[in-house]
Amino acid sequence: MNTPNPPLGSTDPSGSEPPSDDVLAGEYVLGVLDPAQRRSLETRLGSDRAFAERTAYWERRLAPLLDDIAPVSPPERVWQRVCGRLGWTNTRASIWQSLAFWRGAAILATLVAVVAVGLSVLQAPQPPTVLAPSLVTPLAHDDGTPAWLVSIDRTGGTVAVVPVPGPRDPQGRVPELWLIPPGQAPRSLGLVSVERSRTVEVPASLRAWLASGSVLAVSLEQPSGIPHAAPAGPIIAKGAIRVAGAG
Amino acid sequence: MLEEGTPPEALLSQIALGNREAFAALYRATANKLFGICLRVLAERSEAEDALQDVFTTVWRKAAQFDATRASAATWLAMIARSKAIDRLRALPARQSQASLELTEDLEDPGVSPPQEAQAATDRAQLERCLDLLDARRRALIRAAFFEGSTYEELAARTQSPLGSVKSWIRRGLLQLRECLGT
């Protein structure tokens, strides 16, 4: 600190003399130091155990001030970018989170197979039937980032709903899946999860609508009363069912 | 398979071993709170999102350095979030928090959230008591620095006070707090 002459009226030496390590650690934790000082102290933290202890003291002591800060749900893209920055391009999670993937029809075909295998594990063994290809419909947020992957088994009348892991709604609402046949009102398919895969049995009366032209959507709803007669909360993700090469 | 509600300390020790599932579970359990902290320092949402990315990439790389004898996982994570947010704030070309600061009043709403555990209640109560013992000027400066990440220079400009005085008030306040809080 280059303050050779303290301002008149400031006779307090602690404003101009180098502070003790205790105070310096407190200044670092408070965040009053400039970038160069912060960087040099960060280097010191790695090598000076006593100074690291002093810093930990202030962090522990001042942390209760953070208790009042309200949690805010970050957008899904933060998690995707974290995975990207960590170079997790080969994990299942990051494949699901790659926008390029969602646009890549070739890889989509691979995933159809993967999910089909997953479904066959989830379900009781079935007699071989005429092969009805699974339909895979990504449900995306408004900004285009994927939120759920829905794999439709028209033969079994089920849909497997696989989330891109995301935080829960801070207000305690839960995601409810809706099937919206063309030109009709949404019909609830029940509760899904932001954390784990869920297979939903589709009522027989609605199975015919698991086809191109219908839309699947997820809204945030109060946990009680699911399935609801109509969505009341915001739609947070949606996607149109498409059948490759068929109607 | 990780149970729902696995303590963050246990998740961190798994993350230190390279467990990505534990990392995803920690993200789900803590991202909301840590994003709230980033937003407190960085009013700009996109900056706060970037800071939150910094937080979790740091957590992945430094999980092995977490020392449960020094701090709880919640404190360790919260302080990483504050630190990363302040780093981002410092890197911004034009600083956001230059609002003038009135030194005779507290800046913070003294609203108190219900403590989650007895120990937290004790620490919190003790900190509040010790802050209350500070002269209002020192208390206001320490709170502004902590919540807004203002530097000494910025605090001097915001309070229209000499830099040396601001440093002196905060340093004396820290010494007083240290004495009041004990070890």
Side-chain angles (χ1 to χ4, degrees):
Chain A
M1 214 77 34
N2 292 320
T3 47
N5 294 309
L8 284 178
S10 166
T11 52
D12 189 332
S14 67
S16 51
E17 285 179 3
S20 69
D21 274 359
D22 247 350
V23 170
L24 190 60
E27 292 178 316
Y28 171 74
V29 172
L30 270 188
V32 288
L33 303 175
D34 63 41
Q37 290 170 307
R38 282 181 71 77
R39 273 195 302 277
S40 91
L41 289 181
E42 265 149 29
T43 310
R44 186 173 167 193
L45 278 173
S47 56
D48 183 341
R49 192 167 172 84
F51 187 69
E53 296 283 356
R54 288 188 162 94
T55 304
Y57 169 86
W58 283 112
E59 290 184 340
R60 195 171 63 242
R61 285 308 196 163
L62 294 176
L65 288 175
L66 299 172
D67 289 353
D68 286 345
I69 294 180
V72 181
S73 178
E76 261 82 1
R77 59 179 169 267
V78 175
W79 171 249
Q80 296 150 26
R81 288 174 187 165
V82 168
C83 291
R85 276 166 63 171
L86 294 175
W88 295 355
T89 52
N90 296 323
T91 66
R92 198 175 48 169
S94 63
I95 286 174
W96 286 347
Q97 287 153 15
S98 153
L99 274 180
F101 161 75
W102 295 102
R103 295 171 181 146
I107 308 176
L108 187 64
T110 310
L111 197 80
V112 169
V114 170
V115 173
V117 169
L119 274 180
S120 66
V121 173
L122 289 172
Q123 293 172 342
Q126 291 179 337
T129 55
V130 177
L131 191 62
S134 291
L135 313 179
V136 175
T137 300
L139 307 189
H141 296 298
D142 281 346
D143 64 2
T145 57
W148 281 273
L149 176 70
V150 180
S151 173
I152 300 166
D153 175 5
R154 289 200 285 189
T155 311
T158 60
V159 294
V161 187
V162 182
V164 171
R168 294 184 188 187
D169 179 50
Q171 297 170 41
R173 296 172 298 183
V174 295
E176 185 168 2
L177 180 66
W178 302 88
L179 174 64
I180 311 173
Q184 295 187 38
R187 316 283 177 82
S188 177
L189 297 182
L191 183 69
V192 293
S193 166
V194 293
E195 293 169 343
R196 55 199 63 203
S197 309
R198 186 160 280 183
T199 299
V200 177
E201 188 161 343
V202 178
S205 60
L206 293 179
R207 287 181 192 173
W209 294 113
L210 292 172
S212 284
S214 293
V215 167
L216 288 164
V218 173
S219 66
L220 286 178
E221 302 294 342
Q222 298 305 322
S224 60
I226 287 181
H228 293 107
I235 300 278
I236 56 168
K238 59 181 185 296
I241 300 176
R242 284 199 196 86
V243 186
Chain B
M1 191 66 197
L2 290 157
E3 294 294 321
E4 202 67 31
T6 303
E9 283 79 6
L11 293 175
L12 282 171
S13 60
Q14 286 295 307
I15 294 166
L17 300 171
N19 183 333
R20 293 182 188 183
E21 194 193 344
F23 185 68
L26 186 78
Y27 184 91
R28 287 194 296 270
T30 63
N32 290 6
K33 177 68 185 182
L34 300 181
F35 191 48
I37 292 171
C38 292
L39 277 170
R40 187 70 171 77
V41 176
L42 292 157
E44 186 76 36
R45 227 182 145 83
S46 64
E47 290 289 338
E49 288 178 22
D50 287 347
L52 191 61
Q53 291 174 46
D54 298 341
V55 172
F56 278 95
T57 49
T58 301
V59 166
W60 175 254
R61 292 184 176 125
K62 295 195 169 174
Q65 292 174 27
F66 168 67
D67 179 350
T69 64
R70 279 188 187 168
S72 69
T75 295
W76 188 72
L77 292 166
M79 287 300 170
I80 290 177
R82 258 194 89 249
S83 175
K84 294 298 166 191
I86 288 174
D87 287 344
R88 288 261 168 195
L89 186 70
R90 294 282 182 278
L92 288 179
R95 292 294 311 278
Q96 307 165 332
S97 66
Q98 297 290 353
S100 73
L101 186 58
E102 176 59 58
L103 279 187
T104 52
E105 290 176 336
D106 279 354
L107 293 168
E108 283 307 303
D109 181 343
V112 174
S113 64
Q116 289 175 344
E117 49 190 11
Q119 184 58 38
T122 321
D123 290 348
R124 175 68 187 270
Q126 194 188 9
L127 178 63
E128 292 293 348
R129 186 177 59 80
C130 291
L131 280 170
D132 283 346
L133 291 175
L134 299 182
D135 128 341
R137 200 165 47 182
R138 293 177 188 174
R139 180 170 62 239
L141 283 167
I142 284 176
R143 281 183 173 273
F146 186 80
F147 284 112
E148 291 154 45
S150 296
T151 62
Y152 276 138
E153 284 74 10
E154 288 161 351
L155 290 170
R158 290 174 63 190
T159 59
Q160 298 183 302
S161 306
L163 179 61
S165 305
V166 170
K167 284 184 183 175
S168 158
W169 291 328
I170 286 191
R171 287 173 181 172
R172 298 219 152 195
L174 285 170
L175 285 169
Q176 242 182 305
L177 270 186
R178 180 81 170 81
E179 197 170 332
C180 177
L181 290 166
T183 49

